[in-house]
Amino acid sequence: MRTLTLKLPESLLERLEEESRARRANKSARVRAALERELSAPTAKEKPSCYDLTRDLAGSIKGLPKDMEGFGE
């Protein structure tokens, strides 16, 4: 495994140390796990749009509520 040196703000280093103690893992393991999660998360291009999330609902409502009748005309 190769070595990477990085600089962290004091507050982030303190949080890392607390988390490492709580999980009984060394700091390097916690940083590796966080990088794995971050780098495997979908990018903005891969995230579904609002349409993608709701397209199965299109056309599922028959008629409009009384207060919306004539909307858009």
Side-chain angles (χ1 to χ4, degrees):
M1 206 176 298
R2 294 182 61 188
T3 300
L4 169 71
T5 303
L6 64 123
K7 295 180 182 182
L8 298 174
E10 192 66 33
S11 60
L12 185 57
L13 180 58
E14 288 173 11
R15 288 172 48 200
L16 175 61
E17 289 171 342
E18 289 171 13
E19 181 73 14
S20 297
R21 277 193 300 273
R23 293 182 182 255
R24 295 181 178 172
N26 63 38
K27 291 181 280 192
S28 293
R30 299 303 308 142
V31 171
R32 279 193 299 274
L35 279 171
E36 284 289 340
R37 279 192 310 276
E38 176 65 24
L39 295 176
S40 64
T43 63
K45 289 181 180 180
E46 295 171 341
K47 290 183 180 177
S49 68
C50 289
Y51 171 75
D52 292 333
L53 295 172
T54 60
R55 70 176 162 213
D56 62 320
L57 301 175
S60 65
I61 300 174
K62 305 272 190 257
L64 293 173
K66 293 283 184 200
D67 63 340
M68 292 190 70
E69 286 181 0
F71 182 77
E73 293 177 357

